[in-house]
Amino acid sequence: MLREISGLPLLVINGARRFQVDGIPKPIPPEGFFQHTFGRWAKDEASQLRRRYLEFNIDALKAATVKAVDGAKSVTEMTKFHETDFSKVFSLTLDNGQKVMARLPTSMAGPARLVTESQVATSEFARQRLGIPVPRTLAWCADRDQTDVGAEFIIEEAPSGVDLCPQRWSTLSLAEKLGATREVWKIEKKLLDNPMPAYGSIFFREDAESLEKHVEVDQTFVVGPSMDTSFWADERAAMDIERGPWTDPYQFLVAICNREAQWINEYGRFQRLDPRFHQPDSTHDPDAHLEALALFGQAIPYVVPSDEAFLQSTLAHPSGLDGSNIWISESALAAGRIEITAITDWQHAVASPLYLLGGLPAVIDLGDYQKKKQLQTMSNDKKNSHEFNQCAAEYDMLAKTEAFSYYETKTDEELQLYATTARSAVMIWGRSLHIVRPSMNVIATILFILTFSQLRAKIYDIQRRWSDSEFPDPYYISDEKADMWQAERKEWQEHWNVMRLFFPALSTYHEEGWIHPGQYDAACENFVKMKEYWTANIGYNPELLPFIDLAGKEQKTPVDE
């Protein structure tokens, strides 16, 4: 059927880690379209690959593409452009010379129909209502049973220009990096200047009948349930839980708290956590997790700001504008200017309370704050010296420092409310309670996976900060229990400090051990060497070393497996 959007016919057929090899899309044989070929895993690799496997009818997808593009008769080339945990993206070239992108959600993305409908609606909302340059959707199918493709898909215009991936960012001059920061700031301002009526994800109004509930935005769009993956991950997809939308900021956090408590009661008690990644032993106690969640729930009325301005529902890009989803004009770049041509990858976008969104865009995230302060105080002579500029790492940090300073100044001038949230200072009854990202609701979301000790430390920190307040404490934690928590958190931190020593040597910074395919063999060799050294010289239990799966592993490609 045909649907009109902005006066242009849109064909509708019934109905957020970017792993790019060396920054260049590489040809993949057709059998590699279904498998995940952009990465290997140091942990449970067979299971990881199965979760990301997606079979579909390649010829049917090509036919749908030809039907969606005026003047096209055939697809002359199809390559896998990139893939993430949640989607596979293909580049298709047609006989009339036009290029388009086809996006297919994996089973890890959540309910495919809702994921697809929300992604299309969010992209069109950002393009039409906010004036953000987003590739136009040409066709989509949100029901695999209604298409010969055998999978949900979105066909959209290919973005023009090149992406601002880390490799390209590092080649920009300081002036160009400042220009990029200026353009990214303009995109964020458009998001901030257009508050939403509720917390949740965007859908088309005509698709709202299939939603349990929704809040109208206008005649075309509504806010429906949150498509954030935390509400759909693993067994949560089948659970009867509150997913929004919410107009009450308290209920937004309560839903997260209740969701995790319900998951622990229904599934967490039967989970066997890997001791290599979950120390100390209290991490394995579901009742301890439930206790922490209960305390978190008691704190909710006190950590939500009383100033309604901080509660504004604000749409945010799901991956924080990390550069891989920012496309810039090649011709403008050749002239020394930065012009954003497209913002892509809106899968799982959510409108959330503003006070939880404060922070830097990922593309200019400094990471090392102390290094930033040192560079800010460095003299101009040192900054301009030949020796300094020859050090790529130092120069890149300087560029990000200058970009950060611009972003901070510009935000102070024109978006004072966001400037406050960007510094993670939430005003509660006239006093500042600093909630360092990741925020407490994010920590609660992954409570039983990794950051149990961190959440308890946050809970205790709230009580300590409350001691100077005229308001009653939200709960009471005895000194004895607090000391036990601190000791366990120290044990957790020491364990993770050991594991983090392995990450660089194994070429992974991913908690599940994702490794670039070209570095996999070297990672296996390095692991064996490090295991022997740590066992012989430090006496560390080798069974508690991370990614022990690498030991003695055969060197196969994902396609072979």
Side-chain angles (χ1 to χ4, degrees):
M1 71 181 179
L2 287 174
R3 183 178 296 175
E4 293 291 328
I5 291 188
S6 296
L8 296 172
L10 179 64
L11 180 65
V12 184
I13 306 176
N14 299 307
R17 277 174 302 269
R18 176 172 177 156
F19 301 144
Q20 187 159 308
V21 183
D22 299 330
I24 303 172
K26 295 189 175 181
I28 301 288
E31 63 269 21
F33 283 175
F34 307 148
Q35 294 97 340
H36 187 95
T37 55
F38 277 37
R40 302 289 307 271
W41 274 268
K43 178 185 176 187
D44 302 328
E45 182 169 47
S47 173
Q48 298 287 6
L49 293 172
R50 282 195 299 271
R51 296 171 70 196
R52 293 162 177 80
Y53 183 86
L54 176 65
E55 188 170 351
F56 60 94
N57 188 316
I58 297 174
D59 290 335
L61 181 62
K62 291 179 178 180
T65 301
V66 170
K67 189 175 181 180
V69 178
D70 290 340
K73 297 180 179 179
S74 65
V75 172
T76 59
E77 183 181 24
M78 176 176 173
T79 60
K80 184 187 287 186
F81 184 73
H82 74 81
E83 60 187 343
T84 70
D85 290 345
F86 308 118
S87 67
K88 297 181 184 294
V89 183
F90 300 94
S91 174
L92 295 95
T93 303
L94 296 110
D95 59 337
N96 63 358
Q98 185 171 345
K99 286 189 175 183
V100 299
M101 294 292 186
R103 299 177 179 273
L104 286 71
T106 69
S107 61
M108 294 179 66
R113 179 182 64 80
L114 295 179
V115 168
T116 303
E117 288 177 348
S118 181
Q119 183 173 358
V120 174
T122 304
S123 297
E124 289 302 311
F125 179 84
R127 187 176 66 86
Q128 295 181 39
R129 298 293 189 265
L130 307 185
I132 295 174
V134 177
R136 187 169 65 91
T137 302
L138 303 175
W140 82 90
C141 175
D143 185 350
R144 65 178 58 198
D145 294 331
Q146 300 297 321
T147 172
D148 292 337
V149 176
E152 293 76 12
F153 65 86
I154 300 170
I155 299 171
E156 63 185 24
E157 296 174 335
S160 62
V162 293
D163 67 359
L164 198 55
C165 61
Q167 298 95 323
R168 186 160 290 108
W169 171 275
S170 65
T171 67
L172 300 182
S173 68
L174 179 57
E176 289 168 341
K177 288 176 179 175
L178 288 174
T181 304
R182 186 179 303 113
E183 295 305 305
V184 169
W185 181 87
K186 291 178 182 178
I187 297 295
E188 291 219 319
K189 188 175 188 300
K190 290 181 179 180
L191 294 168
L192 291 161
D193 284 347
N194 291 272
M196 306 298 293
Y199 311 123
S201 294
I202 297 175
F203 291 82
F204 286 117
R205 184 176 182 178
E206 60 190 69
D207 294 325
E209 291 183 2
S210 63
L211 304 177
E212 186 175 331
K213 58 182 178 178
H214 65 276
V215 177
E216 290 192 5
V217 176
D218 56 30
Q219 293 183 341
T220 304
F221 300 99
V222 301
V223 176
S226 172
M227 297 314 299
D228 187 283
T229 55
S230 64
F231 283 93
W232 306 95
D234 303 319
E235 299 90 352
R236 293 168 184 81
M239 288 168 47
D240 182 15
I241 55 177
E242 173 61 51
R243 296 186 175 91
W246 304 270
T247 55
D248 185 329
Y250 299 96
Q251 293 306 314
F252 172 77
L253 291 184
V254 167
I256 294 172
C257 186
N258 291 344
R259 178 195 70 206
E260 293 309 299
Q262 183 176 334
W263 180 86
I264 290 173
N265 277 316
E266 293 184 13
Y267 300 98
R269 294 183 181 278
F270 309 102
Q271 298 280 340
R272 292 180 60 85
L273 299 184
D274 189 335
R276 293 169 292 175
F277 293 84
H278 299 276
Q279 295 289 332
D281 291 341
S282 62
T283 304
H284 302 247
D285 181 6
D287 290 328
H289 287 257
L290 290 171
E291 178 192 29
L293 275 173
L295 291 173
F296 169 64
Q298 293 177 43
I300 287 175
Y302 304 95
V303 299
V304 173
S306 57
D307 187 341
E308 290 191 4
F310 288 103
L311 306 177
Q312 169 185 310
S313 177
T314 305
L315 180 65
H317 192 279
S319 62
L321 298 177
D322 61 10
S324 66
N325 41 53
I326 301 172
W327 292 73
I328 59 175
S329 165
E330 288 186 276
S331 58
L333 182 59
R337 297 180 291 103
I338 298 295
E339 178 184 320
I340 293 179
T341 58
I343 302 294
T344 62
D345 304 326
W346 291 88
Q347 187 185 61
H348 300 135
V350 179
S352 302
L354 178 60
Y355 77 96
L356 294 177
L357 299 177
L360 288 172
V363 70
I364 61 169
D365 190 7
L366 292 162
D368 190 341
Y369 184 77
Q370 293 302 319
K371 190 70 173 179
K372 177 189 86 72
K373 300 303 291 185
Q374 293 174 14
L375 288 168
Q376 279 185 323
T377 58
M378 185 182 295
S379 69
N380 288 329
D381 289 342
K382 176 65 183 297
K383 290 179 182 179
N384 295 326
S385 70
H386 176 73
E387 291 78 13
F388 181 84
N389 290 330
Q390 288 300 301
C391 179
E394 293 287 313
Y395 182 79
D396 185 60
M397 180 61 78
L398 170 64
K400 286 193 173 185
T401 297
E402 299 295 334
F404 170 83
S405 298
Y406 170 85
Y407 186 89
E408 187 176 47
T409 301
K410 193 71 174 174
T411 302
D412 280 343
E413 291 175 352
E414 300 195 34
L415 294 170
Q416 293 184 7
L417 174 62
Y418 188 65
T420 304
T421 63
R423 295 187 183 89
S424 300
V426 180
M427 299 306 297
I428 302 178
W429 293 317
R431 54 193 292 275
S432 183
L433 174 63
H434 294 274
I435 301 179
V436 182
R437 296 182 76 186
S439 55
M440 286 187 67
N441 70 319
V442 176
I443 292 174
T445 297
I446 55 178
L447 177 63
F448 206 67
I449 302 174
L450 184 64
T451 54
F452 170 55
S453 298
Q454 288 177 301
L455 176 62
R456 291 205 306 193
K458 283 279 188 230
I459 290 170
Y460 180 59
D461 189 50
I462 288 177
Q463 177 176 292
R464 287 194 305 107
R465 291 176 182 272
W466 226 268
S467 60
D468 63 342
S469 170
E470 61 183 280
F471 297 93
D473 289 347
Y475 42 72
Y476 173 72
I477 301 169
S478 68
D479 292 341
E480 180 181 3
K481 177 170 285 191
D483 290 342
M484 181 186 71
W485 285 7
Q486 292 293 84
E488 290 182 348
R489 187 174 189 275
K490 183 179 179 181
E491 182 181 349
W492 174 86
Q493 189 65 58
E494 289 175 348
H495 180 68
W496 271 95
N497 287 343
V498 170
M499 291 203 295
R500 288 192 180 102
L501 293 175
F502 279 73
F503 288 1
L506 302 181
S507 303
T508 182
Y509 293 91
H510 188 280
E511 64 271 17
E512 294 182 325
W514 181 89
I515 300 174
H516 186 291
Q519 298 171 329
Y520 188 80
D521 290 354
C524 291
E525 294 175 5
N526 288 340
F527 177 84
V528 172
K529 294 176 182 178
M530 294 181 73
K531 177 185 175 183
E532 292 174 351
Y533 176 83
W534 278 73
T535 303
N537 296 283
I538 301 178
Y540 197 81
N541 181 356
E543 295 304 315
L544 292 181
L545 294 177
F547 310 130
I548 199 169
D549 296 11
L550 290 175
K553 205 164 197 179
E554 293 184 30
Q555 309 309 304
K556 296 180 180 179
T557 65
V559 174
D560 293 333
E561 296 183 347

